[in-house]
Amino acid sequence: MTLEQFEQDIEALRSGALAAFTAAQTAEELEAARIQFLGDRSGLLKTVQQALGAISKEYKPAAGRAFNAIKQVLTDAHEARGKALSRSASPAADLDLTMPARRQWRGGIHPVTVVIDEIVAIFRELGFTVALGPQAESEWYNFGALNFPANHPAMDAHDTLYLKGDVLLRTHTSPVQIRTLQTFPPPIRILAPGDVYRRDFFDASHAPMFAQIEGLCVDEGISFVDLKAMLSNFARRFFGAAKTRFRPSYFPFTEPSAEMDVECQICHGAGCSVCKGTGWTEILGSGMVHPSVFEAAGVDAEKYSGWAFGMGPGRIAMQRYGIPDIRMLYDADVRFLEQVAE
Ligand code: PHE
């Protein structure tokens, strides 16, 4: 073989290999081209190397240099194409790694929980501790001990979800009053937050499950003045300048009984759909603990008196955050929650 022929072979190898490397669009195609041109066993470079043996002695050094040069060129070209392909295959190539990350919402405290925590904190300063009770209750704790006469129509106002026999999902947190009175001697000052259940259908102001906070204060010489003072103080602390009012009411387990309204925080008294045009929202029921409740729980009703309340933190959250529909509190829609959760 002449040097000239050898150089022609090298030139054919160079243009063929470079074109094949450039044409490769994937790592697999590039590997196929590498095997074809640079492969150890039957690659074209190998064939050219073998041809080197057939060059006459005189031209061998020049042919050897030409072979080494082409080998280097092709190895470099293969490597460069491999790097280019892996850069464009990885999306990181198009990212600005110095760009600050988009802030992710990591969740927060649900508005009803925020309200419960604040109420508990305000009453804690007045000496109230937290007591809890079961959500599956007996009829006796939920109704009987709370002075609901058997089969009394007052229970109709609590559309109850029964589980089995006389066990039901508690319709209010008031059974915790009984459990506390049975367990601890007065003086008693407790708050009992928790979920309650009623056979209600969802609408803008009803849900079959909602949170309540029960309050109970029992000691010697407690009067309605204490109830009014404590609850008015709470309302000032919680709602600031908003007006509040007491309205006479009826509960079998308190006598006298009163409901407390706060001026609607959404329309500020003008009347809107949330307050049903009245300008007021009821936030709690309350009253002086009925002597029959003390008797049922084994507490001396001659010696002790007390007051109790049941508050709806869901309604209070709606007032505070201007939420027009109670269902929004239970939908778990992140678009809503990230606006109000703290
Ligand atoms: N348990 C009553 C209810 O759910 C509220 C209440 C509690 C009223 C304590 C008076 C005293 O409607």
Side-chain angles (χ1 to χ4, degrees):
M1 175 184 273
T2 66
L3 183 59
E4 203 174 273
Q5 268 177 327
F6 184 70
E7 279 172 352
Q8 276 170 10
D9 285 353
I10 282 191
E11 190 40 51
L13 171 61
R14 180 210 304 277
S15 55
L18 292 183
F21 292 163
T22 313
Q25 293 303 316
T26 63
E28 289 77 8
E29 290 175 19
L30 182 61
E31 176 61 4
R34 186 192 68 78
I35 291 167
Q36 184 187 348
F37 292 98
L38 305 181
D40 272 339
R41 285 218 238 112
S42 56
L44 281 181
L45 188 70
K46 196 85 193 163
T47 317
V48 171
Q49 188 178 16
Q50 279 155 4
L52 203 52
I55 301 272
S56 63
K57 210 171 173 191
E58 188 185 353
Y59 296 120
K60 216 166 224 157
R65 277 195 297 279
F67 173 79
N68 285 336
I70 186 62
K71 185 176 177 185
Q72 190 62 49
V73 165
L74 295 185
T75 310
D76 291 349
H78 170 259
E79 193 186 326
R81 184 65 187 151
K83 279 191 183 150
L85 284 179
S86 72
R87 252 201 314 280
S88 61
S90 116
D94 302 326
L95 292 183
D96 174 1
L97 295 178
T98 64
M99 192 166 87
R102 191 179 298 161
R103 201 180 138 274
Q104 290 258 351
W105 190 60
R106 294 282 195 89
I109 301 173
H110 191 280
V112 173
T113 308
V114 170
V115 165
I116 291 173
D117 289 349
E118 271 184 46
I119 294 170
V120 167
I122 290 172
F123 277 96
R124 182 179 292 133
E125 290 176 16
L126 302 168
F128 286 72
T129 53
V130 168
L132 299 176
Q135 298 187 18
E137 263 299 6
S138 71
E139 260 177 343
W140 188 78
Y141 277 106
N142 196 81
F143 293 124
L146 289 162
N147 200 32
F148 285 80
N151 304 318
H152 192 276
M155 287 191 281
D156 291 354
H158 293 228
D159 291 316
T160 311
L161 292 159
Y162 279 85
L163 295 175
K164 214 176 180 186
D166 77 334
V167 179
L168 47 85
L169 290 172
R170 67 179 180 190
T171 60
H172 51 178
T173 43
S174 299
V176 186
Q177 288 189 35
I178 307 298
R179 291 181 176 276
T180 306
L181 290 169
Q182 284 179 325
T183 315
F184 302 103
I188 287 170
R189 288 178 178 199
I190 56 111
L191 284 192
D195 291 332
V196 304
Y197 303 82
R198 295 190 191 171
R199 212 184 121 275
D200 273 334
F201 292 104
F202 270 114
D203 67 24
S205 54
H206 292 89
M209 185 214 77
F210 55 97
Q212 276 196 339
I213 303 183
E214 195 81 6
L216 176 67
C217 173
V218 177
D219 203 347
E220 290 179 47
I222 299 283
S223 76
F224 198 85
V225 174
D226 298 287
L227 179 157
K228 247 193 123 170
M230 287 277 213
L231 292 180
S232 303
N233 170 72
F234 160 75
R236 259 196 313 281
R237 287 282 306 275
F238 192 89
F239 292 106
K243 276 190 247 162
T244 53
R245 70 176 185 188
F246 283 92
R247 269 181 302 106
S249 184
Y250 171 78
F251 301 100
F253 38 96
T254 48
E255 181 60 34
S257 305
E259 284 174 333
M260 190 180 190
D261 296 342
V262 63
E263 188 184 54
C264 179
Q265 302 291 289
I266 290 162
C267 63
H268 296 284
C272 67
S273 65
V274 175
C275 62
K276 306 218 164 65
T278 63
W280 297 92
T281 302
E282 180 207 322
I283 57 161
L284 61 85
S286 65
M288 300 304 292
V289 178
H290 197 288
S292 320
V293 172
F294 283 136
E295 276 158 31
V299 172
D300 185 350
E302 293 294 325
K303 189 171 175 196
Y304 294 108
S305 56
W307 54 267
F309 67 80
M311 222 184 279
R315 288 220 185 131
I316 294 173
M318 289 170 74
Q319 282 292 312
R320 159 170 301 178
Y321 298 104
I323 299 166
D325 191 316
I326 200 166
R327 286 168 287 200
M328 299 174 101
L329 294 175
Y330 305 109
D331 276 349
D333 184 333
V334 170
R335 291 167 303 178
F336 159 74
L337 290 174
E338 65 185 347
Q339 291 176 55
V340 293
E342 293 187 1

